[in-house]
Amino acid sequence: MTADLSLRNLGKTPTPFFNGRWFTVFASILILSVSGGTYLFGLYSQNVKSSLGYDQTTLNLLSFFKDVGANVGIIAGLINEVCPPWVVLLIGSLMNFSGYIYLWLAVNGDELVKPQVWQMCLCLMIGANSQTFTNTGALVTCVKNFPESRGIVIGLLKGFVGLSGAIITQLFHAIYGNNGKSLVLLIAWLPPFVCCTLLKYVRVMKGVNRQENEVNIFYQLLYISLGLAGFLLMVTILQNRVAFTLVEYRLSSCVMLLLLFAPIVVVIREELRIGKNRKQVLDDFTPLKGLEQGKLPSRSQGKEVLWFKNVFKPPERGEDYTILQALLSIDMLILFITTIFGAGGTLTAIDNIGQIGKALGYPNTSIATFTSLVSIWGYLGRVVSGFVSEIFLTKYKVPRPLMLTFVLLLSCFGHILIAMGVPSVLDVALAILGFCFGAMAPLIFSIISELFGLKHYATLLNFGGAASPIGAYVFNVRLVGHFYDKEALRQMAALGLFRKPGDHLTCIGIECYRSSFLIIAAASFVGCIVSYILVLRTRKFYKGDIYKKFREQA
């Protein structure tokens, strides 16, 4: 008998499979698998640049506001504190559509839309901020439903977010062919459609405990996702070598959708098994003496701590911190600095895929391939860091911050490879950086939940993510954009040309990016050192049983 058959659930009649927590996982997978429109900025940024006549600094400013929207989800977290997940997901859907449909109208030169730069920044930030609402509504809900498998849950779900770039790219080619501007239109309507269809199935299940075969089910979902990632990788490489027709794009997309929906088989089988076991227990159940149905004793609740009290006297690590206790703690400060130096640098590289490829002379087909490959490698980074860190933590007591330190060290090599500009190594560099960027999110989000508890996890999760755009602004706008425009103007002057108003700057050669990425590599190494300080501070905590509290509550 599994732990799902808790005493509180015995008095409930068996529910349909789509009301169980495993169907919540499946619904979350579908929602998150089309939520990564922000990762495709490198694919449509050239259309924005040419249509609106922006220089690289202005384009990087747009990229910065996109990163702010995609990572600053504190509002989503606060709403999730007081509202059910479906409200958070609905708000995110409305924001996604309104932001990206305005961007699409602007890029297509619609007479009704004559945007200023600040308006473009605002609409892109609103559209990108919808991703924090879907992440909060879906991911936080699943972590609360499976608290003892949080690393695996975060890795799996963020893995599908990583694949979303490649998934949307395939659907874009199948629906619109090669019309680049229509990619923004697809990003505008597809995520809200999927989200609004499934949002009522995403909810927190109370009184549900860990199953004995819980991890095995997640491994089954992992294997399916690996098959999907392998297929996307194969198709992406093939499309780069052979020109696909519209029919071929649609056939490959049909296979992709079959793999994407394959987890429903595992989910239905498991929910039916749980329902059968619950019915059998109900038939054999004899109420304990002194207990009446509907009057089961509630779990003991700890004393409620007001949000403004004991701000500088936090509880032990692993207990539920208040929001202020967590935000003002040294551990959160270290995580915040680590994210600025680490995620900020990798995010800058991903945002500049299109411009780096152009500067190094790669054709548009190769740049589109790079974008999809980064998405796939980001998926691998997410699932590997989620599953492997959970195994190392539970079996060998390896602190999760130590694995974050190794990921940051690996990212330094990716930045150096870009700075070297060796022919045919850009794909290797982007693969490393895509993997590292993907690996950071599950590690950082898991560490936050482990150190500060799950009570205010929705808000603290989004505060941790807010560090990425700070690093992206420094590295992308102030560093990469500045060096790119400076080199482009130097090249124009060498040819005796002068920039006219409305012309966008184009830089050719590795000199456009060499200095900036050497600086980013050094900054990532600093982040690696700061991360190791957290390893030393939390060593004793991770040597203990961090999930003991949840087993005692069960």
Side-chain angles (χ1 to χ4, degrees):
M1 179 171 55
T2 64
D4 257 307
L5 310 175
S6 65
L7 190 60
R8 290 183 172 272
N9 286 322
L10 291 178
K12 300 178 183 178
T13 56
T15 55
F17 70 86
F18 47 79
N19 286 333
R21 62 174 182 161
W22 287 109
F23 196 82
T24 295
V25 173
F26 174 69
S28 299
I29 285 173
L30 293 185
I31 290 172
L32 295 175
S33 66
V34 293
S35 68
T38 55
Y39 301 134
L40 295 174
F41 182 79
L43 201 56
Y44 65 79
S45 61
Q46 193 65 30
N47 289 316
V48 175
K49 186 177 181 180
S50 58
S51 298
L52 301 177
Y54 292 157
D55 58 20
Q56 187 62 32
T57 299
T58 304
L59 187 67
N60 285 358
L61 183 65
L62 289 181
S63 176
F64 162 69
F65 277 94
K66 182 265 298 179
D67 293 334
V68 169
N71 292 281
V72 181
I74 297 175
I75 295 176
L78 292 173
I79 293 175
N80 195 76
E81 297 273 355
V82 296
C83 296
W86 70 265
V87 175
V88 179
L89 294 173
L90 181 61
I91 294 174
S93 298
L94 296 175
M95 293 174 64
N96 183 95
F97 182 78
S98 60
Y100 282 110
I101 201 69
Y102 186 90
L103 177 62
W104 177 72
L105 292 172
V107 171
N108 277 273
D110 193 285
E111 294 182 358
L112 298 176
V113 179
K114 300 293 183 182
Q116 301 293 321
V117 172
W118 71 266
Q119 292 173 322
M120 290 296 293
C121 291
L122 180 62
C123 82
L124 197 55
M125 184 174 69
I126 291 173
N129 194 240
S130 66
Q131 183 173 313
T132 68
F133 282 79
T134 54
N135 273 337
T136 302
L139 190 144
V140 173
T141 300
C142 290
V143 168
K144 290 184 176 180
N145 286 341
F146 300 91
E148 294 185 58
S149 302
R150 67 187 70 180
I152 292 175
V153 171
I154 295 173
L156 181 68
L157 294 182
K158 293 295 287 184
F160 277 97
V161 175
L163 285 180
S164 62
I167 291 172
I168 294 175
T169 301
Q170 293 301 317
L171 292 175
F172 156 66
H173 287 305
I175 298 173
Y176 297 108
N178 291 310
N179 184 3
K181 295 181 180 179
S182 297
L183 175 60
V184 182
L185 178 61
L186 181 66
I187 297 172
W189 69 260
L190 180 61
F193 173 77
V194 175
C195 192
C196 290
T197 303
L198 296 169
L199 58 83
K200 73 175 185 176
Y201 301 112
V202 180
R203 57 189 185 277
V204 177
M205 309 291 179
K206 296 183 179 180
V208 179
N209 305 321
R210 180 170 181 149
Q211 298 172 222
E212 294 175 357
N213 64 335
E214 187 173 290
V215 175
N216 290 333
I217 299 169
F218 279 119
Y219 273 114
Q220 293 175 34
L221 297 177
L222 170 65
Y223 299 147
I224 293 174
S225 69
L226 286 172
L228 174 62
F231 175 78
L232 288 171
L233 179 62
M234 178 189 68
V235 168
T236 300
I237 294 174
L238 189 61
Q239 289 170 354
N240 188 40
R241 300 191 177 191
V242 180
F244 269 39
T245 64
L246 185 61
V247 174
E248 290 169 335
Y249 275 125
R250 289 175 176 173
L251 287 174
S252 63
S253 294
C254 287
V255 177
M256 178 192 71
L257 290 175
L258 286 175
L259 291 171
L260 182 59
F261 279 84
I264 190 64
V265 177
V266 177
V267 167
I268 293 177
R269 185 187 64 201
E270 186 58 26
E271 290 292 354
L272 292 177
R273 188 189 66 80
I274 292 172
K276 181 180 178 181
N277 289 346
R278 182 180 290 120
K279 184 177 183 302
Q280 181 181 353
V281 173
L282 282 171
D283 292 339
D284 299 337
F285 178 64
T286 302
L288 299 175
K289 185 177 180 179
L291 291 181
E292 299 178 17
Q293 187 173 358
K295 296 183 179 180
L296 295 174
S298 60
R299 292 175 184 153
S300 60
Q301 298 292 329
K303 185 177 179 181
E304 187 73 16
V305 179
L306 296 176
W307 64 272
F308 56 86
K309 287 192 174 182
N310 298 326
V311 173
F312 297 104
K313 294 181 180 179
E316 295 292 325
R317 289 190 180 97
E319 299 298 324
D320 290 324
Y321 281 51
T322 65
I323 294 175
L324 284 181
Q325 284 174 340
L327 297 186
L328 297 177
S329 68
I330 296 177
D331 290 344
M332 181 63 84
L333 177 63
I334 293 174
L335 268 176
F336 199 78
I337 295 173
T338 300
T339 307
I340 289 175
F341 284 98
T346 54
L347 193 59
T348 297
I350 292 171
D351 284 343
N352 284 276
I353 290 175
Q355 310 307 316
I356 294 173
K358 286 284 185 183
L360 297 180
Y362 287 91
N364 290 332
T365 53
S366 295
I367 295 172
T369 301
F370 291 153
T371 304
S372 295
L373 289 178
V374 166
S375 179
I376 294 170
W377 279 102
Y379 153 80
L380 290 174
R382 287 168 166 88
V383 296
V384 168
S385 68
F387 280 80
V388 172
S389 68
E390 194 71 27
I391 293 171
F392 278 35
L393 175 63
T394 55
K395 288 190 175 182
Y396 308 109
K397 303 297 182 182
V398 177
R400 227 184 286 262
L402 181 60
M403 288 171 269
L404 177 61
T405 303
F406 286 138
V407 170
L408 289 169
L409 184 61
L410 179 61
S411 69
C412 296
F413 294 101
H415 295 308
I416 291 172
L417 284 177
I418 291 180
M420 290 172 60
V422 179
S424 303
V425 300
L426 180 60
D427 50 351
V428 177
L430 293 176
I432 292 174
L433 293 175
F435 180 88
C436 292
F437 181 72
M440 288 179 197
L443 293 172
I444 293 171
F445 294 162
S446 297
I447 292 169
I448 290 174
S449 72
E450 288 159 356
L451 297 183
F452 308 115
L454 291 178
K455 185 174 182 180
H456 300 291
Y457 181 51
T459 302
L460 299 178
L461 164 99
N462 286 295
F463 180 82
S468 296
I470 296 176
Y473 176 77
V474 174
F475 296 134
N476 204 356
V477 179
R478 293 299 181 186
L479 185 66
V480 172
H482 171 73
F483 276 104
Y484 182 97
D485 288 342
K486 182 180 179 180
E487 177 63 20
L489 290 172
R490 189 196 67 78
Q491 291 179 5
M492 290 181 67
L495 296 173
L497 302 175
F498 297 94
R499 184 189 180 194
K500 299 177 182 178
D503 288 349
H504 68 272
L505 294 174
T506 301
C507 183
I508 304 299
I510 189 55
E511 293 299 330
C512 306
Y513 288 99
R514 173 171 287 155
S515 299
S516 54
F517 273 91
L518 285 175
I519 295 173
I520 292 174
S524 297
F525 186 72
V526 172
C528 180
I529 296 173
V530 175
S531 176
Y532 189 70
I533 296 175
L534 186 63
V535 175
L536 299 177
R537 287 177 55 84
T538 59
R539 213 171 21 178
K540 183 178 178 181
F541 169 71
Y542 279 104
K543 288 295 181 183
D545 187 355
I546 66 173
Y547 295 145
K548 181 180 178 181
K549 178 177 70 172
F550 298 100
R551 286 195 294 273
E552 289 177 347
Q553 289 177 351

